[in-house]
Amino acid sequence: MASSWCKIYPTTILLFFLLLVSSVRLVHSSKLEDQNLQSSSPTNQTFKPEQELQKLKILKSRLRKINKPALKTIQSPDGDLIDCVLSHLQPAFDHPLLKGKKPLEPPERPNEHNPSNIMTEDFQLWSFSGETCPEGTVPIRRTSEKDMLRASSVRRFGRKVRRHVRRDSTSNGHEHAVGYVSGEQYYGAKASINVWAPRVSSQYEFSLSQMWVISGSFGDDLNTIEAGWQVSPELYGDNYPRFFTYWTSDAYQATGCYNLLCSGFVQTNNRIAIGAAISPTSSYNGGQFDISLLIWKDPKHGNWWLEFGSGILVGYWPSFLFTHLRDHASMVQFGGEVVNSRQSGFHTSTQMGSGHFAGEGFGKASYFRNLQIVDWDNSLIPLSNLKVLADHPNCYDIQGGINNVWGNYFYYGGPGRNVRCP
């Protein structure tokens, strides 16, 4: 494969964003709330009925708010329960500005984009059962008590909790290998993302590969829209790669959530369950599998839509959720991120991507390909001036290129702890 490699160098604005994003991933320190809400361990010697009752009350209340009445329930091979919920009863419509309304009709697609609206194959484990959700409903992964009790904070389950932002990238515990563009006005982005099942060494670490659509000052008013796949034992209780979304309008402080765990994202599709496990996945020196995602701003109504594969609309983020993103994005970012908790005093062995470095290439290293953005004219165009950055290149690295088949692309990832990454 002929390619021209991009020069790797950091920029101040991207480093600041990475630090901010790193500072708001799931927090695992104990707090007063956590003392009240965490599940009782068998090793606890003191039973406090008042605290237990309060914990149970909060947990049941949150579950009632998240899990909506199901018209039908489907058992997934991985143990998930998928509830088929009437579209207008999904969590998004708990929002005051959406109460009593119904999902919008499909928007105008970007120019130079020719969707087929055909799902060529099942890509989630739950669909292997052969059952589907009826028209007029949306499939929602049921949240269990166990899911909530694994969380650092039951009150903020499904959200990223903001911590103090540190300015040195070596001590915040989050490591990245990303490609990005900035400096212009962006109205969407598209990429095909190679799917693997990286090893995650601790329940409180994760490995993800995603795209970010970003606007704001990188302070308290940061807006992001995010989609991709993640392995997160804390959030899901296993090591399957799962399709996910996220959004925030205040730098992860009080707004936003993963998937459909709060009122925000409006799902319009009855065949894709956000938060459900992806299958198949890629194998080293074997078959490769990727998912294509497109996020773009509807020129007519201003909402941000999410498309999967060849034209399958998943749903949309209403424009009123945001401040800066009501207009446009100022940065688009693609790539991988892991948590390095250094639990044993060493760098984590949590893998990014395939768990192999970028230099190993196709079939061995994970990739993003056909990177594009949507411009002011609602046209899907190739990236210009793609920059790539690995903040811990001895642990996880990245190499970018361009060719006639994959357009703009990059390989990225790594094994974490190794002789050059102690």
Side-chain angles (χ1 to χ4, degrees):
M1 177 184 297
S3 63
S4 58
W5 299 105
C6 299
K7 181 179 179 183
I8 298 179
Y9 58 95
T11 66
T12 302
I13 190 170
L14 181 70
L15 282 173
F16 193 83
F17 171 69
L18 293 179
L19 289 173
L20 179 62
V21 171
S22 298
S23 72
V24 297
R25 296 292 181 182
L26 294 171
V27 178
H28 315 298
S29 58
S30 61
K31 299 180 179 179
L32 179 59
E33 174 188 85
D34 303 333
Q35 294 170 1
N36 292 333
L37 300 177
Q38 283 295 353
S39 60
S40 298
S41 167
T43 59
N44 288 347
Q45 299 299 313
T46 304
F47 179 71
K48 299 180 179 179
E50 296 84 1
Q51 287 188 4
E52 292 298 310
L53 287 172
Q54 180 65 10
K55 176 188 68 179
L56 188 61
K57 182 179 178 181
I58 294 171
L59 187 149
K60 295 289 187 184
S61 175
R62 288 284 286 125
L63 284 175
R64 282 195 301 270
K65 192 169 184 179
I66 292 172
N67 294 325
K68 302 299 183 181
L71 206 62
K72 174 183 178 181
T73 296
I74 299 170
Q75 175 80 53
S76 174
D78 63 346
D80 282 354
L81 293 177
I82 305 298
D83 289 328
C84 303
V85 176
L86 288 170
S87 296
H88 65 282
L89 297 182
Q90 65 182 288
F93 292 95
D94 290 338
H95 195 288
L97 294 180
L98 289 177
K99 279 188 178 295
K101 298 185 178 180
K102 293 184 178 180
L104 296 176
E105 293 299 313
E108 176 186 349
R109 301 299 218 286
N111 303 320
E112 311 304 324
H113 178 55
N114 301 303
S116 65
N117 285 300
I118 297 174
M119 186 169 290
T120 55
E121 60 180 300
D122 294 327
F123 85 104
Q124 291 188 308
L125 281 174
W126 74 275
S127 61
F128 292 0
S129 66
E131 296 190 70
T132 60
C133 282
E135 291 293 329
T137 69
V138 294
I140 302 178
R141 178 184 180 271
R142 186 183 299 178
T143 298
S144 68
E145 288 189 14
K146 287 183 177 180
D147 290 335
M148 300 196 77
L149 290 172
R150 280 192 309 272
S152 304
S153 166
V154 175
R155 290 184 187 274
R156 290 186 59 89
F157 171 75
R159 292 183 174 179
K160 303 171 184 178
V161 184
R162 190 174 186 180
R163 294 179 290 176
H164 175 67
V165 178
R166 301 194 61 144
R167 292 191 176 272
D168 59 294
S169 61
T170 60
S171 61
N172 58 45
H174 294 249
E175 303 182 10
H176 310 80
V178 295
Y180 65 98
V181 290
S182 60
E184 298 183 24
Q185 295 182 359
Y186 307 101
Y187 295 83
K190 184 179 182 182
S192 292
I193 309 174
N194 199 194
V195 181
W196 294 77
R199 181 182 65 249
V200 175
S201 297
S202 162
Q203 176 175 318
Y204 297 111
E205 296 182 344
F206 63 72
S207 180
L208 61 76
S209 296
Q210 69 168 80
M211 47 198 289
W212 292 260
V213 176
I214 305 160
S215 193
S217 65
F218 299 94
D220 291 344
D221 62 343
L222 182 72
N223 290 199
T224 74
I225 289 172
E226 309 171 26
W229 61 263
Q230 64 180 166
V231 176
S232 176
E234 180 182 9
L235 191 58
Y236 304 107
D238 57 35
N239 289 286
Y240 289 112
R242 293 172 176 269
F243 176 46
F244 83 96
T245 62
Y246 200 91
W247 69 274
T248 182
S249 62
D250 62 357
Y252 309 92
Q253 295 181 96
T255 64
C257 62
Y258 281 110
N259 309 332
L260 303 182
L261 295 175
C262 67
S263 57
F265 186 83
V266 179
Q267 183 158 337
T268 60
N269 187 281
N270 70 327
R271 296 189 61 188
I272 294 176
I274 305 174
I278 299 173
S279 182
T281 58
S282 302
S283 59
Y284 189 80
N285 263 339
Q288 299 301 297
F289 177 73
D290 58 34
I291 56 174
S292 178
L293 299 178
L294 167 65
I295 296 171
W296 86 101
K297 194 173 192 293
D298 172 17
K300 184 176 181 180
H301 299 290
N303 303 310
W304 291 87
W305 283 79
L306 173 63
E307 178 186 286
F308 172 87
S310 299
I312 307 300
L313 289 177
V314 181
Y316 61 94
W317 293 269
S319 61
F320 63 71
L321 296 174
F322 305 102
T323 53
H324 299 287
L325 281 175
R326 288 190 188 188
D327 187 11
H328 58 80
S330 56
M331 175 183 281
V332 174
Q333 182 176 307
F334 313 85
E337 179 182 355
V338 301
V339 171
N340 172 28
S341 61
R342 300 186 69 90
Q343 285 189 336
S344 301
F346 303 103
H347 192 285
T348 183
S349 295
T350 288
Q351 300 173 331
M352 180 189 292
S354 69
H356 293 263
F357 287 114
E360 294 193 42
F362 184 76
K364 299 177 181 179
S366 188
Y367 62 80
F368 278 63
R369 64 177 175 89
N370 298 113
L371 307 179
Q372 297 174 286
I373 58 99
V374 179
D375 69 5
W376 64 273
D377 194 35
N378 197 35
S379 294
L380 198 59
I381 61 174
L383 298 185
S384 60
N385 197 29
L386 175 69
K387 302 177 180 68
V388 291
L389 167 68
D391 51 23
H392 293 78
N394 288 334
C395 308
Y396 315 100
D397 69 355
I398 183 169
Q399 293 179 342
I402 185 170
N403 66 31
N404 292 331
V405 179
W406 278 15
N408 285 283
Y409 69 89
F410 59 78
Y411 290 102
Y412 71 103
R417 186 183 180 195
N418 63 84
V419 292
R420 296 189 299 123
C421 176

